[in-house]
Amino acid sequence: MSNNSEFLWYVPNDVKAGHRGDSAVENHNSLDTLTSHARALEEHGWKGALIGTGWGRPDTFTVAASLAARTTTFEPLIAIRPGYWRPANFASAAATLDHLTGGRVRINIVSGKDNLAAYGDSEGDQAHRYGRTREFMRLVRRLWTEENVTSAGEHFRVAESTVVPRIQVRGDRRHPKFYFGGASEAAERVAATEADVQLFWGEPLDGVRERIARLKALSRELDRDLPPLEFGLRITTLVRDTTEQAWADAEAKVAEMARSKGSGWHDHQRELAVGQQRLLDLHERGDVLDDNLYTAPGKFGGGGAGTTWLVGSAEDVARSLRKYQDLGITHFVLSDTPYLSEIKRQGDQLLPLLRS
């Protein structure tokens, strides 16, 4: 794999123990436990981790700041929602954390449905939702890179706004990268013009190839004025010492999901977005696609990155991830449960193969 590829993990950030089959240990979401995960990521070769968000979970930004304070290289990919945050408030918070951590902040913009009324937000139809997201991203980027910003948009206004401390330019990095997901036409138009990294869930290679080509064409059509869009993959990677052991464990996990009716796996099931529906439809093409993309979890409650899994030995999974890299994927957000032991296993067995 290219040395330009980056590898992150996942911190579920959930008050309920047992997320996606994780070990239901005592104090699973305490600062000490989460810090042990972040430090293990540092020690086993990972760049950082995506921190999950959603109303009913601990505040993602607070968790990210706390973990950054207890680590030295760990880079939190902080999932946030326009509407939960206002642009100037968020730009200031992120710039402050970026300053305090020496440039370790990454941002994942989430526009999917949530319990908006619970935190006092409201939004209209899909066009309104993604229009607001686009304006949020454009304004935050301006606040990070310009001074005395005045903007009167459809959704947000600021006047003579200068965020301090200023974001420090670090090589090619002018500001924290915006990661973004979504497969609808409205979402792809936002990604093509405003995102730094488009994240895909675990679709087969042909689907990812098609979407990359479409987003590149859309970037040209919409006159993107930012550096070229980069691409990432968020997927479950079930790695074991042998291919046979991996598939035995994968099938046992799916059998348990079926028995428990997907308990602990339903975090993307409230209202199906276009991208989630694409994943759930994959099992109609077969339980295993490409070489080792396992679609059966989607039948029994697997949601988001838990819908499809790459299964096999470290060599099997590395071979599959290299094929995504050949399509242009350079950002990988991987995970499996139990989260802590898999940070170590995959950091020690899988990452060296991907970097060789």
Side-chain angles (χ1 to χ4, degrees):
M1 272 201 179
S2 165
N3 290 331
N4 293 328
S5 294
E6 296 184 336
F7 303 95
L8 291 86
W9 194 251
Y10 178 64
V11 174
N13 189 32
D14 201 320
V15 295
K16 301 175 184 175
H19 183 267
R20 293 184 182 167
D22 194 19
S23 301
V25 298
E26 187 177 0
N27 298 321
H28 76 285
N29 212 49
S30 69
L31 181 55
D32 284 345
T33 299
L34 295 177
T35 299
S36 72
H37 288 224
R39 288 178 176 166
L41 288 164
E42 290 183 321
E43 293 165 3
H44 293 271
W46 301 91
K47 194 78 170 178
L50 170 64
I51 302 177
T53 192
W55 189 253
R57 285 173 161 177
D59 177 71
T60 313
F61 204 94
T62 304
V63 172
S66 300
L67 293 179
R70 286 190 164 198
T71 53
T72 55
T73 63
F74 171 78
E75 298 190 12
L77 176 51
I78 309 169
I80 67 106
R81 292 177 182 271
Y84 183 95
W85 289 88
R86 295 189 64 79
N89 177 230
F90 174 72
S92 175
T96 300
L97 185 58
D98 200 65
H99 166 72
L100 293 174
T101 62
R104 287 193 273 147
V105 171
R106 300 165 185 243
I107 304 300
N108 182 34
I109 300 291
V110 180
S111 289
K113 293 290 187 179
D114 195 17
N115 188 359
L116 305 179
Y119 53 86
D121 190 22
S122 62
E123 60 188 24
D125 58 14
Q126 184 189 64
H128 179 277
R129 177 158 47 101
Y130 281 105
R132 184 174 72 165
T133 295
R134 178 176 181 172
E135 190 176 311
F136 180 94
M137 294 168 74
R138 175 66 50 151
L139 181 51
V140 169
R141 186 181 274 108
R142 287 190 63 196
L143 289 164
W144 282 341
T145 58
E146 302 175 24
E147 298 183 12
N148 301 314
V149 175
T150 295
S151 175
E154 180 181 352
H155 307 282
F156 305 109
R157 291 172 176 260
V158 296
E160 295 295 312
S161 182
T162 299
V163 165
V164 291
R166 304 302 296 157
I167 295 284
Q168 180 179 339
V169 176
R170 301 170 187 274
D172 294 335
R173 181 189 186 268
R174 296 183 63 210
H175 55 73
K177 283 186 176 179
F178 280 137
Y179 292 65
F180 186 72
S184 67
E185 180 181 354
E188 289 190 339
R189 293 178 75 86
V190 173
T193 55
E194 303 302 330
D196 296 305
V197 181
Q198 165 73 37
L199 279 178
F200 304 122
W201 278 330
E203 294 189 41
L205 293 164
D206 57 359
V208 171
R209 181 185 297 110
E210 173 192 1
R211 293 191 63 197
I212 288 176
R214 186 165 63 248
L215 283 162
K216 286 182 175 180
L218 197 56
S219 293
R220 294 189 294 270
E221 177 187 328
L222 299 176
D223 295 323
R224 177 183 174 91
D225 59 358
L226 300 172
L229 182 63
E230 301 172 36
F231 303 101
L233 182 69
R234 169 73 187 102
I235 193 169
T236 295
T237 43
L238 193 152
V239 174
R240 298 294 184 268
D241 291 340
T242 66
T243 303
E244 295 75 18
Q245 183 183 355
W247 279 106
D249 285 2
E251 291 168 359
K253 275 195 174 188
V254 168
E256 175 58 24
M257 289 170 65
R259 186 197 65 76
S260 65
K261 299 181 179 179
S263 176
W265 291 77
H266 289 292
D267 52 348
H268 284 268
Q269 299 287 325
R270 280 194 300 270
E271 183 169 337
L272 294 183
V274 172
Q276 178 63 79
Q277 191 60 61
R278 284 171 65 103
L279 285 189
L280 292 173
D281 291 343
L282 287 176
H283 67 76
E284 296 177 2
R285 293 169 51 182
D287 279 355
V288 182
L289 303 179
D290 294 339
D291 297 322
N292 56 339
L293 184 68
Y294 194 31
T295 68
K299 298 179 185 178
F300 304 107
T307 312
T308 58
W309 310 343
L310 285 175
V311 177
S313 66
E315 291 78 8
D316 297 333
V317 173
R319 190 179 308 116
S320 294
L321 291 174
R322 286 192 194 98
K323 292 179 180 179
Y324 286 100
Q325 197 268 347
D326 289 342
L327 298 180
I329 301 291
T330 54
H331 299 258
F332 294 85
V333 184
L334 312 179
S335 67
D336 190 26
T337 55
Y339 289 109
L340 182 57
S341 60
E342 290 306 312
I343 287 170
K344 300 173 183 178
R345 182 209 301 269
Q346 297 193 32
D348 294 346
Q349 296 182 11
L350 180 61
L351 293 190
L353 297 176
L354 298 175
R355 293 195 171 107
S356 61

